[in-house]
Amino acid sequence: FAADRLRIRDGVLDAVASPKVAGRLGRAERRIVTDAGPVTVRITAVRSRTPAVPEGEFLLVDAAGLKGSAGPSTLLVAGAGLDPKALRAAVRGAGSGLSVSLRNEARAALSDAPLQAGAGRIYVWAVAAGAGYAVLALVLGLLRSAPERAALLARLRTLGMTTRQGRHVLGLEALPQTLLAAGGGMAVGWATVVLLAPGIDLDRLALADTSGVSPPDAVLRTDPWSLALPAVGG
């Protein structure tokens, strides 16, 4: 948004708000209480997200209008064409005591945390073990029913059934148990997430090695694609 959206006029601070905050406060002047004391604000623009607050509700004002403000200390920049080297070079030339922090670097540091990496490895090994047991069960089932299936196909071929039709018969024979297995797997996955969600702290898992970071209040929830794709692939 343009800088003039955060002007200070006659003691009133122009503000940029999220849709819910704008709907609650309205466009008229409103006096609110902040950590820096009471201020009068007027919403001049509504945005669903900003570089400062990419998620959640917010009300942005110019810090120069707050009592006791020491002036701006952070510049937030977003965009697809940002050059980290150029940013750091510009900061070095601007003076001492300044630094550049990139969101993708912070995310990489979080994803490399031992607790999160260990949880990922456990998940991968659990999926591999489940796939191995499924393949073993399939092979044992095919070996057990192979003689009866071969005899049935031989009798059907004597009645004029072609090889292609035989493959269709085998596919239709396996279809009911396949659909039941896929549906059962999706139901078990959904129930597992619902039952385990209250006891799993995703904030502690993702931010185990960080300090001074406000918890994002993340919760474990079901995702239709995560449940359906493995069932369809299996």
Side-chain angles (χ1 to χ4, degrees):
F1 52 86
D4 60 1
R5 295 293 186 178
L6 297 179
R7 290 185 296 180
I8 304 174
R9 294 177 287 188
D10 299 329
V12 179
L13 279 64
D14 290 347
V16 176
S18 61
K20 288 186 178 180
V21 173
R24 182 176 180 180
L25 297 181
R27 294 303 184 101
E29 297 180 3
R30 296 290 295 269
R31 188 169 180 81
I32 62 176
V33 178
T34 69
D35 294 339
V39 295
T40 303
V41 300
R42 177 176 50 242
I43 297 176
T44 58
V46 179
R47 298 290 185 272
S48 59
R49 61 192 297 265
T50 70
V53 188
E55 297 177 356
E57 305 304 322
F58 58 86
L59 181 70
L60 300 181
V61 299
D62 188 347
L66 302 177
K67 296 180 180 179
S69 173
S73 60
T74 304
L75 175 63
L76 300 168
V77 183
L82 298 179
D83 186 350
K85 293 183 178 179
L87 286 175
R88 290 190 168 95
V91 167
R92 284 195 299 269
S96 60
L98 302 177
S99 62
V100 175
S101 299
L102 301 179
R103 181 182 298 176
N104 57 349
E105 294 178 353
R107 286 178 174 174
L110 293 176
S111 62
D112 292 338
L115 183 60
Q116 189 169 1
R121 285 194 292 269
I122 291 175
Y123 175 78
V124 171
W125 281 108
V127 171
Y133 281 122
V135 172
L136 179 61
L138 179 61
V139 171
L140 293 178
L142 291 176
L143 292 176
R144 180 181 176 277
S145 60
E148 294 86 353
R149 184 178 290 103
L152 175 62
L153 290 177
R155 288 193 295 269
L156 292 176
R157 286 194 183 96
T158 61
L159 299 176
M161 186 184 68
T162 64
T163 303
R164 183 177 181 181
Q165 291 173 338
R167 295 195 187 99
H168 290 168
V169 170
L170 295 178
L172 292 175
E173 181 185 7
L175 185 60
Q177 55 264 39
T178 302
L179 294 178
L180 288 175
M186 294 176 62
V188 170
W190 177 84
T192 301
V193 172
V194 172
L195 294 175
L196 294 182
I200 296 181
D201 188 355
L202 296 181
D203 299 339
R204 188 177 299 276
L205 179 64
L207 306 175
D209 296 339
T210 61
S211 60
V213 179
S214 59
D217 194 21
V219 295
L220 189 66
R221 63 181 184 274
T222 57
D223 179 26
W225 286 109
S226 298
L227 295 175
L229 290 179
V232 173

